[in-house]
Amino acid sequence: MAILEVDGLTKSFGRTEVLKGISFSLDRGQALAIIGSSGSGKTTLLRCLNFLETPDTGTISVNGEVLFDAASHASLGDAQIRSNRLHFGMVFQSFNLFPQYTALENVMLARELLAKGQPGYKADKKRIHAEIEAEARALLEKMSLSNRAGNYPHQLSGGQQQRVAIARALALKPDILCFDEPTSALDPELTGEVLAVIRELASQHMTMVIVTHEMAFARDVADRVIFMDEGVIAEEGAPEDVFGDAAGDRIRAFLSRFNS
């Protein structure tokens, strides 16, 4: 059963049409890799899924619930958009950690902000805080960062910062984890650290949408691959089909740049 359904998304910036009727679905537990050249619309698509951009047309549904319908999105208030966004965990290219908070505090922050808005928070503050901290420490341990919980972002390597960012995205227990080229700011050694974490999440059947230029990674980890070109889905299917001999000229030309 599809956990994510996207139908007819379009998005323009001024006169530039970036997305041109994007439609696809994703089943629970699948990893979807989105590849394509710079400017093909990959990141814009991901930002639309996470409600960081507003599509011009189309719908986005999660678990059968329509979260966004361009025909009526004006009726959604900020609170509803924030609620819808909780379905998606977002991991950005450049980590986007808060520099004034430690690794542990970065992972805890969103959970604590949500908890403060709940009835009865003040009366049960210590227990709630302890629970959030325990879960954040468990996530850092999962990222092999238990000994870095008290470090600030500037005290961490790029790979360590990105693993903190993954832990932060997981803290809210999203339905779908989204990655926007999570290794593009890292050198090869640190890239391997982050890809190993994503591989482990895939083995645990975490539902993921991954924008990536790591072709070998996409072949090995993704259940499905979408190749985008000039705002449209030019190719879609299982990795063996998209990367196989039957792929079209556009994707072969794209892949040749990363296999040379």
Side-chain angles (χ1 to χ4, degrees), residues 32-54:
L32 170 67
I34 302 178
I35 63 174
S37 59
S38 297
S40 62
K42 308 183 304 296
T43 292
T44 297
L45 172 58
L46 210 60
R47 289 177 64 84
C48 286
L49 292 182
N50 203 44
F51 300 93
L52 294 171
E53 299 287 353
T54 302

Side-chain angles (χ1 to χ4, degrees), residues 96-171:
N96 287 19
L97 299 179
F98 292 102
Q100 71 272 33
Y101 296 127
T102 65
L104 179 63
E105 290 166 342
N106 265 280
V107 178
M108 293 175 63
L109 183 60
R111 283 282 307 278
E112 291 203 310
L113 290 174
L114 285 174
K116 288 177 181 178
Q118 300 301 311
Y121 170 76
K122 290 184 178 180
D124 210 11
K125 180 178 178 180
K126 287 186 178 180
R127 183 194 63 79
I128 294 171
H129 177 82
E131 181 181 291
I132 292 172
E133 180 176 342
E135 291 184 8
R137 288 188 181 278
L139 284 169
L140 287 175
E141 182 177 1
K142 189 174 183 178
M143 300 295 135
S144 301
L145 291 172
S146 295
N147 63 334
R148 295 291 190 170
N151 289 134
Y152 291 89
H154 74 274
Q155 297 173 311
L156 303 173
S157 70
Q160 290 169 338
Q161 290 186 65
Q162 194 62 298
R163 282 183 279 153
V164 172
I166 295 171
R168 180 180 61 181
L170 289 169

Side-chain angles (χ1 to χ4, degrees), residues 3-20:
I3 186 173
L4 172 65
E5 295 176 278
V6 175
D7 185 27
L9 285 195
T10 65
K11 178 64 180 177
S12 295
F13 296 98
R15 295 183 178 180
T16 303
E17 194 176 10
V18 180
L19 299 179
K20 307 172 184 177

Side-chain angles (χ1 to χ4, degrees), residues 86-87 111 135 169-176 206:
L86 294 176
H87 291 281
R111 283 282 307 278
E135 291 184 8
L170 289 169
L172 292 175
K173 301 179 176 66
D175 292 303
I176 302 160
M206 179 75 198

